[in-house]
Amino acid sequence: MPAVVVVGAQWGDEGKGKVVDIFAEHADVIARYQGGNNAGHTLVVGGEKTVLHLVPSGVLHPGKVCVIGNGVVVDPAVLIEEIERLQHRGYLLDDQLLKISDRAHLIMPYHRAIDLARERLRGEDRIGTTGRGIGPTYEDKMARIGIRFADLLDESSFHDLLRNTLAEKNAYIRALLQEEPFAFDAIHEQYSRYRERLAKYVTDVSVYLAQALSKGQRLLLEGGQGTMLDVDHGTYPFVTSSNTVASAACTGVGIPPGRISCVVGIVKAYTTRVGSGPFPTELHDATGEKLRQDGDEFGATTGRPRRCGWFDAVVVRHAVRINGIQGLALTKIDVLTGIDPIRICVAYEYNGQRYEHFPASMQVLRNAQPVYEEHPGWNEPLTSARTIEDLPRNARRYIQRLEELTETPMYLISVGANRNETILLRNPFHS
Ligand code: IMP
């Protein structure tokens, strides 16, 4: 009855989708535990590309059950569109293969409007959100005025909740954001249609998972975003509005901490981030541009160019500690081909002080100077490597140095976007 958590160890976009897809082969159930359609996972199987925003990345394995946990915020229109796209291609044809928690919160049209209007008003200080209404939905959850699937399914509760909440939201939207208010009837009608379409998937996910685990089924828990976007442990306030770290997997699907058998951290062989906020190893030069082009570093959700920089061991050590990462999955090492030398940040310096641990202060982070080590690069393409011995010596040395600096072994090395372009060193379900 193992439960494996896959968590991003940087600022998201580490390639969790591909890794979850690979580990999913060994799992029976794959569950998302937080975030929403701010996430975008790109999977390439047999040359065919699939982009997922809400359905867990195990969906391309026939017969596996995909679960959307209570910790996820769901935009029903996006979910329905995603289900239909998948069904069109022959996936999720059995309704039993998708479960949505009755406690998951719904993203409403006013959440999206508030997200976008706030960002506009912030101007230069904007967070650079994905504009999908994620933050305002989590705010309502904490303010105890959110609407959950259980509420949507009960027609009269939904009616009353929407009426009360909308009165407050419209007052805010009009007075503070100077935008048009929303009409009750239009939202009520639209969400009643969503109820009809999604009701069959809604269930008590905690009860379902407890039963699955006690039957000996294997559970894979998929995080969205990454550790540095965690609302507590990331670069606050330039973060997302949920806890993205491994411990959130338990609250996000309703399983106890003792069930987690292994935590795998996903790291890119360099670093990227989208949106605003500190990024000590960011490159503003030709190497940064090369990483962006060769790594196709453009957001799967918003299409925005990602900021690119060197691997930051301070960040990844922070992630290893907070998540309890037992093994790393290293992605996009193939993108470093042709870059020489390659640098790794091992600490920061600011005001005569050396920082080995990731600092909380924005002031320190904005001015921190990375302390770099240099490593010789390689020119060979890596995409056909299937064992560690197939890699050039300098690539092997680079990987070994990352293991030393993070004090964590590699479980998997990804050398290309395709499912088969992978070196699997250790199966987390057996560790
Ligand atoms: P939000 O989650 O849309 O509120 O955006 C907050 C911050 O998290 C912004 O910097 C986004 O760019 C970032 N973000 C949200 N989701 C992802 C993701 O899946 N990958 C990378 N960055 C993300």
Side-chain angles (χ1 to χ4, degrees), residues 269 310-311 313 333 336 338-346 371-379 393-405:
W310 298 117
F311 187 93
I333 179 90
L336 293 181
I339 296 181
D340 194 8
I342 302 171
R343 294 172 135 191
I344 304 175
C345 168
V346 294
V371 179
Y372 286 119
E373 283 183 358
E374 278 193 0
H375 291 265
W378 58 89
N379 284 316
R393 191 148 55 105
N394 286 347
R396 291 207 302 269
R397 281 193 181 151
Y398 180 72
I399 293 168
Q400 196 186 350
R401 187 63 187 139
L402 299 187
E403 291 184 316
E404 286 164 7
L405 287 168

Short mmCIF file of all heavy atoms in Angstrom, two decimals, residues 269 310-311 313 333 336 338-346 371-379 393-405:
data_model
loop_
_atom_site.label_atom_id
_atom_site.label_comp_id
_atom_site.label_asym_id
_atom_site.label_seq_id
_atom_site.Cartn_x
_atom_site.Cartn_y
_atom_site.Cartn_z
N ALA A 269 17.56 20.48 -14.77
CA ALA A 269 19.03 20.55 -14.71
C ALA A 269 19.53 21.99 -14.65
O ALA A 269 20.71 22.24 -14.43
CB ALA A 269 19.62 19.83 -15.92
N TRP A 310 20.91 29.38 -13.91
CA TRP A 310 21.69 28.20 -13.51
C TRP A 310 20.98 27.40 -12.42
O TRP A 310 20.15 27.93 -11.68
CB TRP A 310 23.06 28.62 -13.00
CG TRP A 310 23.94 29.33 -13.99
CD1 TRP A 310 24.39 30.61 -13.91
CD2 TRP A 310 24.48 28.79 -15.21
NE1 TRP A 310 25.18 30.91 -15.00
CE2 TRP A 310 25.25 29.81 -15.81
CE3 TRP A 310 24.38 27.56 -15.86
CZ2 TRP A 310 25.93 29.63 -17.02
CZ3 TRP A 310 25.05 27.37 -17.06
CH2 TRP A 310 25.81 28.39 -17.62
N PHE A 311 21.38 26.15 -12.27
CA PHE A 311 20.89 25.29 -11.19
C PHE A 311 21.27 25.93 -9.87
O PHE A 311 22.40 26.36 -9.66
CB PHE A 311 21.53 23.90 -11.30
CG PHE A 311 20.94 22.91 -10.32
CD1 PHE A 311 19.89 22.08 -10.70
CD2 PHE A 311 21.44 22.81 -9.03
CE1 PHE A 311 19.34 21.17 -9.80
CE2 PHE A 311 20.90 21.89 -8.13
CZ PHE A 311 19.86 21.08 -8.52
N ALA A 313 21.56 25.17 -6.01
CA ALA A 313 21.55 24.10 -4.99
C ALA A 313 20.99 24.61 -3.66
O ALA A 313 20.51 23.81 -2.85
CB ALA A 313 22.96 23.55 -4.79
N ILE A 333 18.25 17.50 -18.80
CA ILE A 333 19.73 17.55 -18.81
C ILE A 333 20.22 17.68 -20.26
O ILE A 333 21.28 18.28 -20.51
CB ILE A 333 20.31 16.28 -18.11
CG1 ILE A 333 21.83 16.27 -18.09
CG2 ILE A 333 19.81 14.99 -18.70
CD1 ILE A 333 22.46 16.92 -16.91
N LEU A 336 21.36 21.11 -21.68
CA LEU A 336 22.66 21.71 -21.34
C LEU A 336 23.75 21.38 -22.36
O LEU A 336 24.85 21.94 -22.29
CB LEU A 336 23.10 21.25 -19.94
CG LEU A 336 22.24 21.77 -18.77
CD1 LEU A 336 22.78 21.27 -17.45
CD2 LEU A 336 22.17 23.29 -18.77
N GLY A 338 26.20 21.61 -25.18
CA GLY A 338 26.72 22.77 -25.91
C GLY A 338 26.98 23.98 -25.03
O GLY A 338 27.44 25.01 -25.53
N ILE A 339 26.69 23.88 -23.74
CA ILE A 339 26.96 25.01 -22.84
C ILE A 339 28.23 24.67 -22.04
O ILE A 339 28.31 23.62 -21.40
CB ILE A 339 25.77 25.27 -21.89
CG1 ILE A 339 24.56 25.69 -22.72
CG2 ILE A 339 26.13 26.33 -20.85
CD1 ILE A 339 23.32 26.01 -21.92
N ASP A 340 29.23 25.55 -22.11
CA ASP A 340 30.51 25.26 -21.46
C ASP A 340 31.18 26.58 -21.07
O ASP A 340 31.38 27.44 -21.95
CB ASP A 340 31.39 24.48 -22.45
CG ASP A 340 32.59 23.84 -21.76
OD1 ASP A 340 32.66 23.89 -20.52
OD2 ASP A 340 33.45 23.30 -22.48
N PRO A 341 31.51 26.80 -19.79
CA PRO A 341 31.26 25.90 -18.67
C PRO A 341 29.82 26.00 -18.17
O PRO A 341 29.10 26.93 -18.54
CB PRO A 341 32.22 26.45 -17.61
CG PRO A 341 32.31 27.91 -17.91
CD PRO A 341 32.19 28.04 -19.40
N ILE A 342 29.45 25.04 -17.34
CA ILE A 342 28.12 25.06 -16.70
C ILE A 342 28.33 25.47 -15.24
O ILE A 342 29.28 25.00 -14.60
CB ILE A 342 27.47 23.66 -16.76
CG1 ILE A 342 27.34 23.21 -18.22
CG2 ILE A 342 26.11 23.66 -16.07
CD1 ILE A 342 26.89 21.77 -18.38
N ARG A 343 27.48 26.34 -14.75
CA ARG A 343 27.64 26.81 -13.38
C ARG A 343 26.56 26.24 -12.46
O ARG A 343 25.43 26.00 -12.91
CB ARG A 343 27.59 28.33 -13.34
CG ARG A 343 28.77 28.95 -14.06
CD ARG A 343 28.60 30.43 -14.17
NE ARG A 343 29.83 31.12 -13.83
CZ ARG A 343 29.94 32.44 -13.64
NH1 ARG A 343 28.88 33.20 -13.70
NH2 ARG A 343 31.08 32.98 -13.36
N ILE A 344 26.94 26.06 -11.20
CA ILE A 344 25.96 25.65 -10.17
C ILE A 344 26.11 26.62 -9.01
O ILE A 344 27.23 26.85 -8.53
CB ILE A 344 26.26 24.22 -9.64
CG1 ILE A 344 26.31 23.19 -10.77
CG2 ILE A 344 25.22 23.81 -8.59
CD1 ILE A 344 26.71 21.78 -10.29
N CYS A 345 25.00 27.13 -8.54
CA CYS A 345 25.04 28.03 -7.38
C CYS A 345 25.06 27.18 -6.11
O CYS A 345 24.21 26.30 -5.94
CB CYS A 345 23.82 28.93 -7.39
SG CYS A 345 23.57 29.84 -5.87
N VAL A 346 26.03 27.45 -5.23
CA VAL A 346 26.16 26.64 -4.01
C VAL A 346 25.80 27.42 -2.75
O VAL A 346 25.58 26.84 -1.68
CB VAL A 346 27.59 26.05 -3.87
CG1 VAL A 346 27.86 25.05 -4.99
CG2 VAL A 346 28.65 27.15 -3.86
N VAL A 371 27.01 32.35 -5.31
CA VAL A 371 28.38 31.85 -5.31
C VAL A 371 28.37 30.61 -6.22
O VAL A 371 27.61 29.67 -5.97
CB VAL A 371 28.81 31.43 -3.88
CG1 VAL A 371 30.22 30.87 -3.88
CG2 VAL A 371 28.64 32.60 -2.92
N TYR A 372 29.18 30.67 -7.29
CA TYR A 372 29.10 29.61 -8.30
C TYR A 372 30.31 28.67 -8.27
O TYR A 372 31.42 29.10 -7.98
CB TYR A 372 29.03 30.22 -9.70
CG TYR A 372 27.69 30.83 -10.04
CD1 TYR A 372 27.58 32.19 -10.33
CD2 TYR A 372 26.55 30.04 -10.12
CE1 TYR A 372 26.36 32.76 -10.67
CE2 TYR A 372 25.32 30.60 -10.46
CZ TYR A 372 25.23 31.95 -10.73
OH TYR A 372 24.02 32.50 -11.07
N GLU A 373 30.04 27.41 -8.65
CA GLU A 373 31.08 26.47 -9.05
C GLU A 373 30.99 26.32 -10.56
O GLU A 373 29.90 26.42 -11.11
CB GLU A 373 30.74 25.07 -8.54
CG GLU A 373 30.96 24.79 -7.14
CD GLU A 373 30.64 23.32 -6.83
OE1 GLU A 373 30.21 22.52 -7.71
OE2 GLU A 373 30.82 22.99 -5.68
N GLU A 374 32.11 26.04 -11.20
CA GLU A 374 32.07 25.83 -12.65
C GLU A 374 32.37 24.38 -13.00
O GLU A 374 33.23 23.76 -12.37
CB GLU A 374 33.09 26.74 -13.33
CG GLU A 374 32.54 28.13 -13.51
CD GLU A 374 33.34 29.00 -14.45
OE1 GLU A 374 34.37 28.54 -15.00
OE2 GLU A 374 32.93 30.14 -14.63
N HIS A 375 31.65 23.88 -13.99
CA HIS A 375 31.85 22.50 -14.42
C HIS A 375 32.02 22.45 -15.93
O HIS A 375 31.32 23.18 -16.65
CB HIS A 375 30.64 21.64 -14.03
CG HIS A 375 30.55 21.46 -12.56
ND1 HIS A 375 31.07 20.37 -11.92
CD2 HIS A 375 30.07 22.29 -11.62
CE1 HIS A 375 30.88 20.54 -10.62
NE2 HIS A 375 30.29 21.68 -10.41
N PRO A 376 32.91 21.60 -16.41
CA PRO A 376 33.07 21.50 -17.87
C PRO A 376 31.82 20.91 -18.52
O PRO A 376 31.18 20.02 -17.95
CB PRO A 376 34.27 20.54 -18.03
CG PRO A 376 34.36 19.81 -16.74
CD PRO A 376 33.79 20.69 -15.68
N GLY A 377 31.45 21.43 -19.68
CA GLY A 377 30.25 20.95 -20.36
C GLY A 377 30.54 19.79 -21.31
O GLY A 377 31.59 19.15 -21.24
N TRP A 378 29.63 19.52 -22.21
CA TRP A 378 29.76 18.45 -23.21
C TRP A 378 29.03 18.88 -24.46
O TRP A 378 28.17 19.76 -24.41
CB TRP A 378 29.18 17.14 -22.66
CG TRP A 378 27.74 17.26 -22.27
CD1 TRP A 378 26.65 17.06 -23.06
CD2 TRP A 378 27.22 17.67 -20.99
NE1 TRP A 378 25.48 17.32 -22.36
CE2 TRP A 378 25.81 17.69 -21.10
CE3 TRP A 378 27.79 18.03 -19.77
CZ2 TRP A 378 24.99 18.03 -20.03
CZ3 TRP A 378 26.97 18.38 -18.71
CH2 TRP A 378 25.59 18.38 -18.84
N ASN A 379 29.38 18.25 -25.59
CA ASN A 379 28.74 18.62 -26.86
C ASN A 379 27.84 17.54 -27.43
O ASN A 379 27.12 17.78 -28.39
CB ASN A 379 29.82 18.99 -27.89
CG ASN A 379 30.38 20.38 -27.57
OD1 ASN A 379 29.62 21.30 -27.27
ND2 ASN A 379 31.70 20.50 -27.57
N ARG A 393 31.06 11.67 -20.01
CA ARG A 393 31.64 11.71 -18.66
C ARG A 393 31.30 13.02 -17.93
O ARG A 393 30.96 13.01 -16.74
CB ARG A 393 33.16 11.54 -18.76
CG ARG A 393 33.82 11.30 -17.41
CD ARG A 393 35.04 10.42 -17.58
NE ARG A 393 35.93 11.04 -18.56
CZ ARG A 393 37.06 11.68 -18.26
NH1 ARG A 393 37.45 11.76 -17.02
NH2 ARG A 393 37.82 12.19 -19.19
N ASN A 394 31.35 14.14 -18.64
CA ASN A 394 31.09 15.42 -17.96
C ASN A 394 29.63 15.55 -17.51
O ASN A 394 29.34 16.19 -16.50
CB ASN A 394 31.49 16.60 -18.84
CG ASN A 394 33.00 16.74 -18.91
OD1 ASN A 394 33.71 16.11 -18.11
ND2 ASN A 394 33.50 17.54 -19.85
N ALA A 395 28.72 14.96 -18.26
CA ALA A 395 27.30 14.97 -17.85
C ALA A 395 27.13 14.12 -16.59
O ALA A 395 26.42 14.49 -15.66
CB ALA A 395 26.42 14.45 -18.98
N ARG A 396 27.84 12.97 -16.56
CA ARG A 396 27.76 12.10 -15.37
C ARG A 396 28.32 12.82 -14.15
O ARG A 396 27.78 12.74 -13.06
CB ARG A 396 28.52 10.79 -15.61
CG ARG A 396 27.85 9.89 -16.63
CD ARG A 396 28.19 8.44 -16.39
NE ARG A 396 29.62 8.17 -16.41
CZ ARG A 396 30.32 7.82 -17.49
NH1 ARG A 396 29.70 7.68 -18.65
NH2 ARG A 396 31.61 7.59 -17.42
N ARG A 397 29.44 13.54 -14.38
CA ARG A 397 30.05 14.28 -13.26
C ARG A 397 29.13 15.38 -12.75
O ARG A 397 29.03 15.63 -11.55
CB ARG A 397 31.36 14.92 -13.72
CG ARG A 397 32.48 13.94 -13.76
CD ARG A 397 33.77 14.72 -13.91
NE ARG A 397 34.89 13.86 -13.98
CZ ARG A 397 36.01 14.16 -14.62
NH1 ARG A 397 36.11 15.30 -15.27
NH2 ARG A 397 37.02 13.33 -14.62
N TYR A 398 28.48 16.06 -13.70
CA TYR A 398 27.54 17.14 -13.32
C TYR A 398 26.42 16.56 -12.45
O TYR A 398 26.09 17.08 -11.39
CB TYR A 398 26.98 17.79 -14.59
CG TYR A 398 26.01 18.92 -14.36
CD1 TYR A 398 26.43 20.15 -13.88
CD2 TYR A 398 24.64 18.75 -14.61
CE1 TYR A 398 25.53 21.20 -13.66
CE2 TYR A 398 23.73 19.78 -14.40
CZ TYR A 398 24.19 20.99 -13.93
OH TYR A 398 23.29 22.02 -13.71
N ILE A 399 25.87 15.43 -12.89
CA ILE A 399 24.77 14.79 -12.15
C ILE A 399 25.25 14.37 -10.76
O ILE A 399 24.56 14.59 -9.75
CB ILE A 399 24.23 13.58 -12.94
CG1 ILE A 399 23.56 14.06 -14.23
CG2 ILE A 399 23.28 12.73 -12.10
CD1 ILE A 399 23.24 12.97 -15.23
N GLN A 400 26.45 13.81 -10.72
CA GLN A 400 27.00 13.36 -9.43
C GLN A 400 27.17 14.56 -8.48
O GLN A 400 26.91 14.47 -7.28
CB GLN A 400 28.34 12.68 -9.67
CG GLN A 400 28.79 11.88 -8.49
CD GLN A 400 30.20 11.34 -8.71
OE1 GLN A 400 30.75 11.42 -9.82
NE2 GLN A 400 30.77 10.81 -7.67
N ARG A 401 27.60 15.68 -9.03
CA ARG A 401 27.80 16.87 -8.20
C ARG A 401 26.46 17.38 -7.65
O ARG A 401 26.37 17.82 -6.51
CB ARG A 401 28.50 17.96 -9.03
CG ARG A 401 28.92 19.16 -8.22
CD ARG A 401 29.96 18.81 -7.17
NE ARG A 401 30.23 19.94 -6.29
CZ ARG A 401 30.39 19.86 -4.98
NH1 ARG A 401 30.33 18.69 -4.36
NH2 ARG A 401 30.65 20.93 -4.27
N LEU A 402 25.41 17.29 -8.48
CA LEU A 402 24.08 17.70 -8.00
C LEU A 402 23.64 16.79 -6.85
O LEU A 402 23.06 17.25 -5.86
CB LEU A 402 23.04 17.65 -9.12
CG LEU A 402 23.27 18.55 -10.33
CD1 LEU A 402 22.06 18.52 -11.26
CD2 LEU A 402 23.56 20.00 -9.93
N GLU A 403 23.94 15.50 -6.97
CA GLU A 403 23.59 14.56 -5.89
C GLU A 403 24.34 14.92 -4.61
O GLU A 403 23.76 14.90 -3.51
CB GLU A 403 23.94 13.12 -6.30
CG GLU A 403 23.06 12.59 -7.40
CD GLU A 403 23.36 11.12 -7.73
OE1 GLU A 403 24.54 10.76 -7.82
OE2 GLU A 403 22.42 10.35 -7.88
N GLU A 404 25.62 15.27 -4.76
CA GLU A 404 26.42 15.62 -3.58
C GLU A 404 25.89 16.89 -2.92
O GLU A 404 25.71 16.95 -1.71
CB GLU A 404 27.89 15.85 -3.97
CG GLU A 404 28.64 14.58 -4.29
CD GLU A 404 29.95 14.87 -5.04
OE1 GLU A 404 30.33 16.06 -5.20
OE2 GLU A 404 30.56 13.90 -5.49
N LEU A 405 25.66 17.91 -3.74
CA LEU A 405 25.25 19.21 -3.18
C LEU A 405 23.87 19.16 -2.53
O LEU A 405 23.58 19.92 -1.61
CB LEU A 405 25.26 20.28 -4.28
CG LEU A 405 26.64 20.73 -4.73
CD1 LEU A 405 26.54 21.55 -6.02
CD2 LEU A 405 27.33 21.55 -3.64
#
